[in-house]
Amino acid sequence: MSRITLAHYLREQQTSLPTLDAALVRLIEQVAHACVGIAHALGQGALADLLGSAGQDNVQGEAQKKLDVLSNDLLIEAHLWGGHLAAMASEEMEDLYQLPADRPRGDYLLAFDPLDGSSNIDVNVSVGTIFSVLRSPVREAVQVEHVLQAGRQQQAAGYAIYGPSTQFVLTLGAGVDVFTLDRSLGQFILSERALRIPEATQEFAINMSNQRHWEAPVQRYVAELLAGREGVRGKDFNMRWVGSMVADVHRLLTRGGLFMYPVDAKTRAQGGRLRLLYEANPMAWLVEQAGGLASTGRERILDLQPQRLHQRVPVMLGAREEVLRLEDYHRS
Ligand code: AHG
Ligand code: MN
Ligand code: MN
């Protein structure tokens, strides 16, 4: 079997996708390149003194891990000379990252969560990098408002998952394809095309410890899942929760399921737990591209007009039937 590298795949896609210009190809290759570096650092872990806290908080008030900071730096450095970006936004940076004055600029904006699930690093559980690409209306002096675009405007989105193998999952708006890192070559090789999420599922993911804080529609929905065969759903459901969004979403893209991080009494003031621009939007687009749905319970995530760089939103995504039911319960 001939092996298709990410670089080869992107050139192949250019023949059918007019939006995939040379700069966007370079951008995606640089994200993937940074992810190879992050995978390497994660693999070294304790041996390179990379576990534990960086000794400071990020803009979200969360303790930064050394690997959060390192991953953020690797992603920034990968893009400094490419000439394809106007600015970057990251979970780990309060403000937009403007390119230094002497660097070449381009028409794209990159938003990322450099390391998702980082509270899991020290216990050696899968973590990931999530990214979203938008077009920039300006090349110089990018303002936050330029980045506040609805998720349906994304030009590319994806994540890397650092698990037993490292995989790169990508959408350019024509389905979702998966690449697996060949560690000996340092290259991503196409390993699966056109992921599909079945419309029905018997598996769900939610942090059950927040149950007492949930709103009524989510209380009702989960109670019905837990009631199993004896309840109104008439079938048993299984639960899985890694606590890394990347790992939980990767599972449902691979074998189906539903993922929820609803707004609850603890997170109401901030609008939810997960961030819209670099967590919810890229994952929502991937899920829709694989035939699933992604909602806040009240609205399609990809239609939300972002108000702030680090805005948080409720997230319910995966199997169509389940997301439709959740939306129905939120209406009634
Ligand atoms: P991050 O590590 O980038 O801050 O994101 C963690 C997110 C997400 O990966 C996960 O679904 C969620 O936080 C888990 O949060 P809780 O453990 O607070 O439920
Ligand atoms: Mn995250
Ligand atoms: Mn993170």
Side-chain angles (χ1 to χ4, degrees):
M1 189 190 90
S2 81
R3 291 165 36 118
I4 300 176
T5 62
L6 177 63
H8 173 169
Y9 164 92
L10 289 168
R11 269 78 188 175
E12 173 199 288
Q13 293 294 305
Q14 279 190 294
T15 60
S16 54
L17 288 175
T19 53
L20 185 56
D21 59 20
L24 184 53
V25 166
R26 258 192 335 273
L27 194 171
I28 293 164
E29 285 180 336
Q30 287 307 312
V31 171
H33 175 71
C35 292
V36 174
I38 296 170
H40 180 74
L42 288 166
Q44 298 287 93
L47 299 180
D49 191 27
L50 286 172
L51 302 186
S53 165
Q56 63 203 34
D57 286 356
N58 66 12
V59 53
Q60 338 262 345
E62 297 163 345
Q64 275 180 323
K65 302 277 187 176
K66 288 180 196 165
L67 281 161
D68 283 321
V69 177
L70 178 70
S71 304
N72 194 58
D73 291 348
L74 286 171
L75 279 156
I76 291 173
E77 279 160 24
H79 296 285
L80 284 183
W81 289 105
H84 46 261
L85 281 185
M88 292 181 249
S90 162
E91 177 189 325
E92 304 301 338
M93 299 187 289
E94 180 161 10
D95 300 317
L96 283 181
Y97 180 91
Q98 307 282 356
L99 297 183
D102 59 338
R103 305 303 158 96
R105 274 137 214 281
D107 297 318
Y108 291 100
L109 299 165
L110 176 66
F112 52 85
D113 176 354
L115 207 52
D116 173 66
S118 55
S119 64
N120 285 319
I121 292 169
D122 296 349
V123 295
N124 205 3
V125 160
S126 295
V127 292
T129 297
I130 313 173
F131 70 95
S132 165
V133 181
L134 297 163
R135 278 196 83 88
S136 182
V138 293
R139 285 191 167 192
E140 310 275 335
V142 180
Q143 306 291 310
V144 169
E145 70 204 52
H146 297 135
V147 184
L148 301 181
Q149 302 179 33
R152 61 172 185 274
Q153 316 258 59
Q154 290 172 105
Q155 305 293 308
Y159 60 81
I161 178 167
Y162 312 107
S165 65
T166 291
Q167 293 188 301
F168 191 75
V169 179
L170 176 68
T171 187
L172 302 165
V176 180
D177 297 323
V178 183
F179 304 81
T180 300
L181 179 63
D182 181 328
R183 290 181 205 273
S184 61
L185 300 176
Q187 286 203 340
F188 284 103
I189 309 292
L190 183 64
S191 51
E192 201 171 348
R193 281 194 197 258
L195 295 187
R196 296 305 292 173
I197 301 171
E199 292 197 9
T201 186
Q202 287 179 237
E203 195 162 87
F204 69 104
I206 192 167
N207 184 343
M208 285 294 296
S209 70
N210 294 324
Q211 183 168 22
R212 68 191 186 284
H213 303 296
W214 297 336
E215 296 181 323
V218 176
Q219 293 280 3
R220 173 187 173 194
Y221 174 78
V222 175
E224 290 178 3
L225 301 185
L226 298 178
R229 285 174 71 110
E230 291 77 34
V232 295
R233 299 299 304 268
K235 59 180 183 179
D236 289 333
F237 285 81
N238 194 12
M239 200 193 84
R240 286 285 184 275
W241 177 256
V242 179
S244 292
M245 186 195 201
V246 162
D248 285 307
V249 171
H250 189 68
R251 185 184 54 252
L252 75 84
L253 279 168
T254 307
R255 69 173 189 201
L258 174 77
F259 170 89
M260 285 170 280
Y261 214 117
V263 64
D264 61 32
K266 276 199 315 191
T267 58
R268 179 152 305 112
Q270 49 194 34
R273 171 79 172 88
L274 298 172
R275 276 73 36 133
L276 176 57
L277 286 176
Y278 42 81
E279 290 177 321
N281 271 343
M283 292 309 203
W285 197 29
L286 287 162
V287 163
E288 287 200 3
Q289 283 292 316
L293 291 177
S295 173
T296 65
R298 296 178 169 92
E299 279 164 284
R300 179 182 181 226
I301 288 175
L302 295 179
D303 285 337
L304 295 173
Q305 172 57 50
Q307 306 293 331
R308 291 181 310 283
L309 199 53
H310 299 289
Q311 180 177 346
R312 298 179 189 244
V313 291
V315 172
M316 299 167 198
L317 49 78
R320 281 186 82 83
E321 284 183 6
E322 300 302 319
V323 177
L324 289 174
R325 181 181 287 262
L326 272 160
E327 288 185 329
D328 189 39
Y329 289 6
H330 280 82
R331 272 189 296 270
S332 56

